[in-house]
Amino acid sequence: DLSPLYKSLPAFCRVVAEAKPTSDSDIKLEVWLPVSGWNGKLQGIGNGGFAGLIDDMQLAMSVKAGYTATATDTGHTGSPIDAGWAMGHPEKIIDFGHRGIHEMTRVAKTVIAAYYSKPPQRSYFAGCSDGGREALMEAQRYPEDYDGILAGAPANYWTALFATAAYDTQALTVDSASFIPPAKVPMIAAAVNAACDELDGVHDGILNDPRQCHFDPATIQCKEEDSDKCLTAAQVTALKKLYAGTLDSQGHVVYPGYLPGAEEGPGGWGLWITGPAPAKSLMAFFGNGFFSGFVYGRSDWDYKMFKVDADLKTANETNGQALNATDPDLKSFKARGGKLILYHGWNDPAITALNTIDYYESVIKKMGQKDVDSFVRLYMAPGVQQCAGGPGSDSFGAVGDLKFDDPQHSVDASLEQWVEKGTAPSTIIASKFEGPDRTHAKMTRPLCPYPQAAKYKGSGDPNDAANFECERRKE
């Protein structure tokens, strides 16, 4: 029931529309326009998973903050973990891939011009996960759509991400002995922390840069009988594969592995990677859904049939063009004055944080460091899982989260100041809130522009951002 939500909002005009760019398209979208007090800006809202719904809560948050807001189901209706709609619908796949968000933006700008008799002064887009992929797709394909883009934990190398989902599910279920049950995940997390937590000078259950953690799963192999306090040889092999990444038949990494740290917790590995039971993780659902729905169009496709070389090649040939937002050439977006902020939780158990670093570095390689510094920033968030959650400070002002100590140092405020005033973003303060109403910040930490990272000064309360400084990591 949305009525309490609506009662908390200022008066707004709700426009519901459908865009049909092809005969098989049905892109449902909404535009919410404040009746008074509009700040002159458009806020485009990203999706999650396989999309399929319009997020009223995010639209409401944006309207409350004075924006005209727009969101779309990207062209199909359904659960974000269901990919059945894609079967036999290549145009719907393109709508989901990039055309839906672009159409939403085009319609929203038309509606704004008609309603207010003027176009938006600035347009912003923010999304995380699939929404982060949509964000990068906008910067790469439709650079005129938005002035500022916030791309969180982008699932931008979509085909390889879901190849990894199938590959990892195989690694955990090749034989029943390989499966790592939920009861063993806390033990793995404790072993990782014992090995690596203090590398950054603070004992807090957070790895500041998990790349520095060289945890060897063999150290927790059972010496005697199997128990929840150790891993069997088969489980050690499976865990090593999860950390190592997805390898082709030549042994090349086609998608980087998961990083150690924050394996446990409600949004951790037990939900995303290992699952409550064999092949019951979210990534298993996504991998199966993608290859059966998008790639092969057959409901009987099963991850057990997966072969890295052949299936990733087929996925790229059938879907790469529509779904992968991996183009490092952002010249057009830069030329129109666009600004892009990327962020990723180091402990993301769905999309490895290494993938976003890889994309950022590919843009530098293509365009040069000086050019990139003029319009792109990357922030890595220690201890943060998929878009939020985990032991780290996960509240830094991404859309839909209006709780932060210092809104001036939030990621969205930084993006807007960069676009509107030319002030390049520096440190962003992230908070960790606790309690049911999430009003009390129990920890603040600085997020530094990559490749800088926050380092504890050596004294003072480690829960206070003031006791950390940003510095470049010594290689």
Side-chain angles (χ1 to χ4, degrees):
D1 177 24
L2 289 167
S3 52
L5 176 67
Y6 287 131
K7 282 179 187 146
S8 73
L9 298 181
F12 69 97
C13 173
R14 179 185 177 210
V15 176
V16 178
E18 285 173 21
K20 298 183 188 285
T22 75
S23 58
D24 195 29
S25 294
D26 181 14
I27 301 163
K28 294 183 171 61
L29 63 104
E30 297 197 15
V31 189
W32 290 16
L33 308 106
V35 171
S36 62
W38 178 43
N39 64 12
K41 303 172 196 181
L42 167 64
Q43 175 71 67
I45 292 163
N47 302 78
F50 292 122
L53 46 88
I54 289 171
D55 190 338
D56 287 320
M57 190 55 90
Q58 297 233 42
L59 286 165
M61 289 284 200
S62 294
V63 166
K64 219 173 188 170
Y67 297 82
T68 286
T70 185
T72 176
D73 63 5
T74 76
H76 64 276
T77 307
S79 151
I81 60 170
D82 172 39
W85 56 268
M87 229 172 269
H89 291 284
E91 294 295 347
K92 283 194 186 334
I93 289 175
I94 294 168
D95 288 338
F96 165 76
H98 56 85
R99 198 163 49 203
I101 295 289
H102 177 57
E103 286 291 304
M104 165 193 92
T105 307
R106 180 184 67 78
V107 173
K109 287 182 175 180
T110 307
V111 168
I112 286 171
Y115 185 76
Y116 295 115
S117 306
K118 60 181 180 187
Q121 291 164 296
R122 299 290 184 192
S123 299
Y124 295 98
F125 183 88
C128 190
S129 197
D130 176 50
R133 183 193 66 85
E134 293 170 342
L136 289 181
M137 202 60 108
E138 279 291 310
Q140 292 163 20
R141 262 179 197 267
Y142 305 108
E144 294 299 318
D145 281 359
Y146 291 98
D147 302 293
I149 292 178
L150 188 56
N156 64 309
Y157 194 179
W158 190 265
T159 54
L161 171 66
F162 292 113
T164 296
Y167 179 90
D168 286 348
T169 308
Q170 273 188 349
L172 288 161
T173 57
V174 159
D175 59 66
S176 54
S178 300
F179 176 64
I180 299 171
K184 292 197 180 195
V185 173
M187 177 271 300
I188 297 169
V192 167
N193 277 334
C196 301
D197 182 16
E198 295 193 28
L199 292 176
D200 54 22
V202 187
H203 181 65
D204 57 0
I206 297 167
L207 308 187
N208 237 9
D209 182 345
R211 293 174 301 183
Q212 297 171 326
C213 177
H214 303 295
F215 167 69
D216 182 0
T219 56
I220 49 173
Q221 189 167 327
C222 300
K223 306 281 187 285
E224 289 151 19
E225 71 274 9
D226 183 15
S227 79
D228 289 346
K229 301 279 178 282
C230 59
L231 296 179
T232 64
Q235 290 166 343
V236 166
T237 302
L239 183 55
K240 282 182 172 175
K241 281 186 177 171
L242 299 178
Y243 290 136
T246 303
L247 309 179
D248 66 13
S249 60
Q250 304 299 304
H252 298 132
V253 178
V254 295
Y255 196 76
Y258 290 105
L259 289 155
E263 285 83 355
E264 67 179 327
W269 283 32
L271 175 70
W272 285 98
I273 306 175
T274 50
K280 289 278 188 278
S281 69
L282 278 180
M283 292 308 282
F285 282 114
F286 279 122
N288 249 341
F290 173 64
F291 282 99
S292 65
F294 284 69
V295 180
Y296 293 115
R298 38 182 289 212
S299 50
D300 64 344
W301 188 88
D302 188 84
Y303 74 92
K304 293 188 194 77
M305 303 149 80
F306 178 76
K307 299 247 182 314
V308 177
D309 300 41
D311 292 321
L312 182 53
K313 183 170 184 281
T314 305
N316 283 331
E317 284 166 359
T318 53
N319 287 272
Q321 192 64 32
L323 302 176
N324 289 340
T326 50
D327 183 353
D329 186 352
L330 300 175
K331 278 202 278 292
S332 301
F333 183 64
K334 175 185 180 273
R336 62 94 72 212
K339 301 287 187 269
L340 168 66
I341 293 182
L342 294 148
Y343 67 90
H344 207 132
W346 269 122
N347 292 126
D348 193 322
I351 304 160
T352 174
L354 296 172
N355 172 66
T356 298
I357 294 172
D358 284 354
Y359 177 69
Y360 176 71
E361 288 177 344
S362 77
V363 179
I364 291 169
K365 194 174 167 194
K366 177 81 184 169
M367 299 184 65
Q369 186 78 57
K370 191 161 176 271
D371 259 10
V372 171
D373 285 348
S374 71
F375 79 107
V376 187
R377 286 289 180 280
L378 166 61
Y379 292 91
M380 303 303 292
V384 175
Q385 293 174 337
Q386 166 57 196
C387 301
S393 295
D394 61 345
S395 182
F396 38 89
V399 168
D401 185 356
L402 295 179
K403 286 238 185 292
F404 26 82
D405 286 352
D406 185 357
Q408 284 312 301
H409 286 91
S410 72
V411 68
D412 354 45
S414 298
L415 179 62
E416 295 198 9
Q417 281 160 14
W418 202 7
V419 168
E420 293 163 26
K421 301 190 178 119
T423 314
S426 56
T427 306
I428 284 167
I429 303 299
S431 304
K432 182 78 189 167
F433 289 99
E434 60 181 359
D437 53 355
R438 301 184 68 237
T439 49
H440 170 64
K442 64 172 187 175
M443 175 170 73
T444 59
R445 286 281 170 91
L447 302 184
C448 307
Y450 186 86
Q452 293 180 57
K455 187 171 187 331
Y456 181 53
K457 291 176 182 174
S459 63
D461 181 1
N463 292 322
D464 184 347
N467 297 314
F468 289 76
E469 56 197 337
C470 290
E471 64 165 35
R472 284 187 85 98
R473 179 181 160 218
K474 294 165 190 66
E475 291 303 329

